[in-house]
């Protein structure tokens, strides 16, 4: 019997290995194809779309091509019980064996058990997405946020992400509720579908995807403000969607007394929503601040490996701590990433700067491609698809209405207060490029127990496929049609070692970019941050002694490291050289100069900051730093001087 | 009931997060302390020892400090069965729920279940070590093997690792068998302990640890040949120990008809041993060669991110493929690492070279510290310790005898054939510094079901603690006592950005380093590799067209990339500049110049190859490249010319 157990354990391990192997090979194949596409300059299909196609192929093969012999030895013992505990003890002649709950087995499909087993083997625990794959993606998004443009458009971004997503969720929820009522009327509904289910669907499907937006837009080098709006919104609305959907779930009716959400529950829901969101924000920022302090006051920078490891561990701890506190780790990690980039990054050694950046870039790349190929796979390997034409049509209609109800009215309201209006063309692009992706998928696969959830999951898959393939592929024509010009970056290898980027065609913007959309509140924070927070947490900025009032001099002395005086903000030097009039402008420029979202697109040699890589931007001699910003955004001194 | 399940799932997720969080915080603490020790130049305790101490502390806290309220809702249902299947179906009013086997619960300790549960929560599935933590460590070891010195001493290394480990296993096995017989006689044995168990113990405890050896020796900068011998042996004997122990397990007697191993079983075991070892070797090398070909014939180097991702995935696939084929992944990954470093590394872009190196360095660092702190934790958290004084004393005696039976006789035999004898002092160091570490731990925790295994595990833990703390800490005094001089590297920060290494005192070797210990077989392989394999797989070395006979010209043309002609082996240039007489010597030098095992010790600024880091070796102006090789090893031209 011992040998039997050993054999079973080995067999199960072998199968697990094979499962992961299939995915690694899939990713390898995807990488090679991505390279080929980039090399041959095919642009009609995006890499995430590519990963999905490979996933689909493997799904088809697993579903129809593989016939597994039923494993007799793996026979199951059936117990009868009154409840479903999380663990079960089996008594075999005095020995107790513990069993852990794995999930419900669908009795419908239990007649063809071997193939089901094979397909189930190819699926992952949905928690893998939330605990392993999403955190690096979201952290990377926060860590590489193009901060200057992000902060310049913060008001608009927050409006779209918070107000807009809530509006969109409700619009979609209502449309779907109508749709479900219709289905009920024509008898197409085979199970329960509550109003909260509709709201849940609205919440999960409202999250636009930063992954694809980042990939497509940064590769195309569109207008930076448009990019900042799109990317900022999509990053933050992921957070909103997570928190919103879990608030809805908390008030899921358990019985039939369901349809109406009473007012108090709504209010509690709102309270939970705000508490979780602000909790995650505080936790994430606190972890970032703590890391900044540690890296500032220890001389850890002498040992880049230790420093990188610490950075990685602290960021990961943020996620774990948030999960342990029952708030959302993914959201905490987002804010942690932003804080790390804003403060900690300045304390790191040059070595660690590139190391951390490259590490998270790699993790992000792998996780993202894994998710998209897994999505493709799921279409065929998932056992309980419920494809309902009415629901699917309704869902497509709903997401358009929801997106429109988010973008157009809010843009109108925002334009009332903005000096640089968000042009109608920009609004169309934002409407059009609100792709659904990784987060929507992860949220919908998390729970597929009920009929309603299964129908949602199947529809979600189709929506993701459609938006990524059609809208993702259609972004380039769309942009040319709307006359928002963009620049392709091409790479040529001139010599064996150094890569030269050369930008073809100069970009010109259509939308008018104004300079005063930062609200007074934001400007207040900015000054405060610049004068006190940044000098406190990092080695850059003006020394605290000069900014704090005289009475605090001893404290200031104590908190000001000797490096503050010695060390110029090395990143900003690049740009300062070109416009020496900007005093202290380093603050908003520093990290921008090094973080370029496009670095995750592999279409250009990786930007390494001042330390490596001879990178000559041939046709755009205006661009000073390592980032080939579109020239129209280069009058750096102007918007910056306004703030000081 | 649905809500109950959800709540349970959330609770279990929260606990999992907390568990991992504890370890991340533990690692963070370890990193900070390591930094402090390095900063203050404390040398009495090594970092792995430090990680263990922190682990011990947390273990003590978990064991005696935390009192968990028994979780009532988590009550278990007990079934009675005749066999122990791998999965169990529970029928609750028509719904089928699947349960998965988690392991045997010890009925002895089931009376104080809550605390057991808490402690069990803090333990990991042993397979985590084999599937997640060991592969990066072993790959890194292979990838950073100091190849020149490794190949120069290959004969001796193979002898120690293969013959020596087998001798050691048998000696230890026999001593322990005597010990067990003694215990049986005095009535201290409470369970079965077969001869195969003794052999198994011999196999797992014979694996000396590359992690600690690498850390201690490269930090001390001892004689490179001694280092190569120690490190090469410890890397390869891990492989031998894994394969040997699994061969022994395959012939574990199932009943009482055990004591004698019959001849045929022994022979089969040997066959399995050789088959698995050579299978892993072939698979690992093949994967490395494949990666080399892919990176050579695609222009993937234009996109470093893709390249790095591909490299990572291919290396990981090797592990998975080996596991899926039921041969040992860890061994395959070792050979894969060596091949990747020897061939693929030369095809990578400068960017990817540093990226891959840094990535695996980080993974290695994290995994290694995790294992050691987990080891510390296990001493208190493991439930089924069997500490038997006789067995432990016997085990300590046995490992000394086993190590002595490995080193001294084999060194004597080797010295008969070597021109540069392995001096007696070197032999003492090798005897003394055969620390036990991660691999021994991982092998012994893998199966702790039987009484014999539990006793082995407990004794192994003590042996690892003792060797790491006492021998690890005692290496420095030992080396001075034996007059094997070494150099400490200190780092001083002269300016804010660049780190200068400055070596105190010049190293002088005591052992005479000869130049002709490469056997003719090896030299044959070397020439073949240099002329055909390397040009075929990489962009370096002489073009195939010049080395292949004329009849193969078309094939050669086809296989020779244009880069071969253009591209100098950029790594070798560093050294070639200093001794331009060496034609084609790049082969043995190339990767050496960039891979320095000491780079995982964080005691010096990371060596980045030619691309980054201004590193001025102040007091040793002889040293040419980025690696501050001890000067006595620098007459490069001589040993190399001998080979050509």
């Amino acid at each position: 019997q011992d040998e039997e157990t050993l054999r079973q354990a080995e067999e199960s391990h072998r199968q697990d290995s094979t499962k992961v192997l299939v995915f690694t090979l899939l990713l390898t194949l995807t990488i090679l194809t991505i390279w080929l596409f980039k090399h041959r300059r095919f642009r009609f299909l995006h890499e995430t779309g590519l990963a999905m196609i490979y996933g689909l192929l493997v799904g088809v093969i697993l579903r129809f091509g593989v016939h597994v012999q039923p494993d007799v030895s793996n026979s199951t013992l059936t117990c009868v019980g009154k409840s479903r505990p999380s663990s079960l003890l089996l008594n075999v002649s005095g020995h107790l064996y513990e069993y852990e709950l794995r999930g419900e087995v669908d009795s419908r499909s239990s007649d063809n058990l071997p193939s089901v087993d094979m397909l189930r083997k190819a699926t992952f625990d949905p928690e893998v997405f939330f605990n392993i794959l999403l955190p690096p993606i979201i952290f990377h998004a926060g860590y590489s946020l193009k901060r200057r443009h992000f902060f310049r458009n913060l008001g608009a971004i927050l409006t779209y992400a918070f107000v807009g997503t809530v509006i969109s969720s409700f619009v979609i929820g209502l449309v779907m509720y109508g749709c479900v009522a219709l289905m009920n009327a024509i008898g197409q509904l085979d199970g329960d579908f509550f109003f909260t289910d509709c709201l849940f669907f609205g919440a999960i499907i409202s999250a636009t995807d930063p992954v694809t937006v980042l990939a497509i837009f940064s590769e195309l080098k569109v207008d930076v403000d448009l990019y900042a709006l799109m990317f900022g919104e999509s990053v933050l609305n992921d957070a909103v969607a997570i928190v919103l959907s879990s608030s809805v779930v908390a008030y899921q009716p358990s019985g039939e007394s369901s349809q109406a959400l009473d007012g108090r529950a709504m209010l509690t829901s709102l309270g939970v929503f705000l508490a979780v969101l602000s909790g995650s924000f505080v936790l994430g920022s606190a972890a970032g601040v703590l890391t900044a302090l540690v890296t500032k006051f220890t001389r850890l920078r002498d040992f880049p490996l230790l420093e990188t490891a610490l950075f990685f561990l602290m960021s990961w701890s943020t996620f774990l701590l948030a999960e342990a506190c029952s708030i959302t780790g993914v959201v905490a990690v987002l804010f942690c990433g932003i804080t790390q980039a804003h403060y900690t990054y300045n304390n790191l050694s040059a070595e660690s700067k590139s190391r951390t950046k490259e590490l998270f870039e790699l993790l992000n790349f792998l996780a993202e491609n894994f998710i998209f190929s897994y999505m493709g796979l799921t279409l065929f390997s998932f056992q309980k698809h419920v494809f309902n034409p009415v629901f699917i049509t309704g869902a497509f209609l709903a997401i358009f209405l929801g997106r429109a109800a988010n973008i157009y009215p809010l843009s109108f309201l925002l334009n009332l207060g903005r000096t640089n209006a968000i042009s109608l063309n920009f609004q169309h692009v934002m409407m059009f490029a609100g792709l659904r992706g990784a987060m929507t998928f992860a949220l919908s696969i998390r729970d597929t127990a009920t009929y309603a959830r299964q129908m949602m999951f199947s529809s979600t898959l189709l929506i993701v496929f459609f938006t990524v393939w059609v809208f993702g592929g259609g972004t380039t024509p769309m942009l040319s049609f709307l006359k928002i010009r963009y620049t392709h970056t091409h790479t040529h290898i001139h010599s064996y070692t150094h890569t030269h980027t050369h930008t073809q065609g100069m970009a010109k913007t259509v939308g008018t970019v104004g300079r005063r959309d930062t609200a007074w509140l934001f400007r207040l924070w900015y000054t405060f941050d610049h004068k006190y927070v940044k000098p406190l947490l990092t080695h850059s900025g003006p020394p605290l002694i000069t900014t704090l009032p005289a009475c605090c001099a001893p404290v200031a002395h104590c908190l000001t490291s000797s490096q503050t005086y010695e060390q110029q903000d090395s990143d900003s030097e690049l740009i300062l050289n070109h416009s020496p009039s900007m005093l202290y402008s380093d603050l908003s420029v520093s990290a921008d100069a090094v973080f370029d979202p496009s670095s995750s697109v592999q279409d250009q040699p990786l930007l390494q900051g001042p330390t490596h890589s001879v990178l000559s931007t041939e046709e755009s001699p205006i661009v000073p730093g390592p980032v080939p910003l579109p020239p129209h955004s280069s009058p750096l001194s102007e918007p910056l001087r306004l703030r000081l």
Side-chain angles (χ1 to χ4, degrees), chain A residues 62-64 66-71 105-120 380-383:
Chain A
L62 280 183
R63 179 98 194 200
F64 303 108
V66 182
H67 292 283
V68 188
Q69 293 302 314
D71 188 358
V105 182
D106 200 347
S107 42
R108 281 178 283 171
S109 57
S110 55
D111 37 11
N112 55 341
L113 225 128
S115 76
V116 170
D117 203 57
M118 179 63 205
L119 284 170
R120 206 192 42 205
F380 286 96
S381 73
F382 186 67
Q383 289 298 303

Side-chain angles (χ1 to χ4, degrees), chain A residues 18-30 50-66 118-119 121-124 370 372-382:
Chain A
T18 314
K19 177 170 96 179
V20 185
L21 182 65
V22 168
F23 279 98
T24 8
L25 293 181
L26 205 57
L27 286 188
T28 312
L29 207 62
T30 311
L50 202 67
M52 287 205 295
I53 288 180
Y54 277 121
L56 272 180
L57 289 181
V58 173
V60 170
I61 292 169
L62 280 183
R63 179 98 194 200
F64 303 108
V66 182
M118 179 63 205
L119 284 170
K121 281 271 159 26
T123 60
F124 285 83
F370 182 88
F372 279 92
S373 41
Y374 188 73
M375 254 187 246
L377 184 79
T378 325
L379 188 62
F380 286 96
S381 73
F382 186 67

Side-chain angles (χ1 to χ4, degrees), chain A residues 51 73 76 122 134 196 202 253 291 342 359 373 436 478 481 528 533 628 633:
Chain A
S73 75
T76 50
L134 279 182
T196 45
T291 317
H342 195 58
L359 175 70
S373 41
R436 269 60 171 186
M478 171 85 183
F481 178 75
F528 179 74
V533 186
S633 70

Side-chain angles (χ1 to χ4, degrees), chain A residues 147-148 151 289 292-293 296-297 338-347 525-544 547 559-561 564 569 571-572 584-592:
Chain A
R147 262 168 307 263
R148 190 156 53 95
F151 282 121
V289 166
L293 286 174
K296 184 181 176 186
F297 289 108
I338 296 175
T339 320
Q340 300 282 38
H342 195 58
Y343 300 117
T344 314
Y345 186 78
N346 294 303
N347 298 339
W525 155 250
Y526 187 88
T527 317
F528 179 74
D529 178 53
H530 172 63
K531 275 194 173 169
Y532 306 110
V533 186
K534 217 161 188 188
L536 175 66
L537 298 179
T538 72
H539 294 305
S540 64
L544 268 184
T547 56
L559 292 174
T560 307
S561 65
T564 313
D569 196 331
D571 303 327
S572 66
Y584 290 146
S585 69
D586 51 345
L587 275 183
S588 57
V589 181
S590 64
D592 268 358

Side-chain angles (χ1 to χ4, degrees), chain A residues 330-341:
Chain A
V330 177
V331 180
V333 138
L334 168 67
F335 291 114
C336 176
I338 296 175
T339 320
Q340 300 282 38

Side-chain angles (χ1 to χ4, degrees), chain A residues 121-377:
Chain A
K121 281 271 159 26
T123 60
F124 285 83
D125 184 353
E127 295 301 311
V128 168
F129 292 98
F130 269 86
N131 299 329
I132 298 176
L133 297 173
L134 279 182
I137 294 183
I138 301 289
F139 183 87
H140 182 71
Y143 197 51
S144 62
L145 215 60
K146 220 173 164 59
R147 262 168 307 263
R148 190 156 53 95
H149 300 285
F150 176 75
F151 282 121
R152 229 159 72 176
N153 293 294
L154 193 69
I157 290 170
L158 290 177
T159 312
Y160 288 126
F162 285 73
V163 186
T165 306
V166 174
I167 292 178
S168 164
S169 301
F170 275 92
V171 169
I172 294 175
L174 289 172
V175 172
M176 292 323 292
Y177 192 56
C179 181
V180 167
L182 177 71
M183 285 161 69
N184 210 358
I186 62 175
Q188 282 211 351
L189 209 59
D190 301 330
D192 287 336
F193 212 116
F194 301 119
F195 182 57
T196 45
D197 287 325
C198 296
L199 278 185
F200 179 80
F201 185 70
I204 64 171
I205 207 86
S206 292
T208 58
D209 188 47
V211 175
T212 36
V213 167
L214 192 133
I216 294 169
F217 276 60
S218 67
E219 191 161 346
L220 292 178
K221 301 257 163 252
V222 296
D223 180 85
V224 280
D225 278 288
L226 176 60
Y227 177 84
L229 284 176
M230 287 293 302
F231 182 60
E233 186 214 341
S234 60
V235 166
L236 288 176
N237 75 7
D238 276 2
V240 176
I242 295 176
V243 181
L244 201 60
S245 60
S246 61
S247 312
V248 171
V249 168
Y251 289 89
Q252 186 86 21
S254 40
E256 271 79 53
S257 62
S258 58
Q259 305 290 38
L261 275 171
D262 63 287
R264 188 191 288 169
M266 284 285 268
L267 221 63
T268 325
S269 212
L270 187 72
V272 171
F273 172 79
L274 291 178
V276 170
L277 202 62
S278 55
S280 307
F281 171 74
V282 168
L283 187 70
S285 314
V289 166
L290 186 66
T291 317
L293 286 174
V294 168
T295 46
K296 184 181 176 186
F297 289 108
T298 63
R299 294 187 60 87
L300 211 59
R301 44 185 292 137
D302 303 346
F303 308 99
L305 177 62
L306 291 184
E307 200 177 34
T308 311
L310 184 90
F311 186 92
F312 177 76
L313 287 172
M314 294 287 275
S315 307
W316 192 25
S317 300
T318 310
F319 173 78
L320 294 168
L321 188 61
E323 291 291 311
C325 298
S326 303
I327 56 179
T328 29
V330 177
V331 180
V333 138
L334 168 67
F335 291 114
C336 176
I338 296 175
T339 320
Q340 300 282 38
H342 195 58
Y343 300 117
T344 314
Y345 186 78
N346 294 303
N347 298 339
L348 299 181
S349 60
E351 178 88 31
S352 294
K353 283 181 184 174
S354 76
R355 276 182 177 223
T356 50
K357 204 157 57 70
E358 288 167 3
L359 175 70
F360 285 107
E361 196 183 341
L362 181 70
L363 291 179
N364 169 64
F365 176 78
L366 291 176
E368 168 190 319
N369 277 292
F370 182 88
I371 291 190
F372 279 92
S373 41
Y374 188 73
M375 254 187 246
L377 184 79

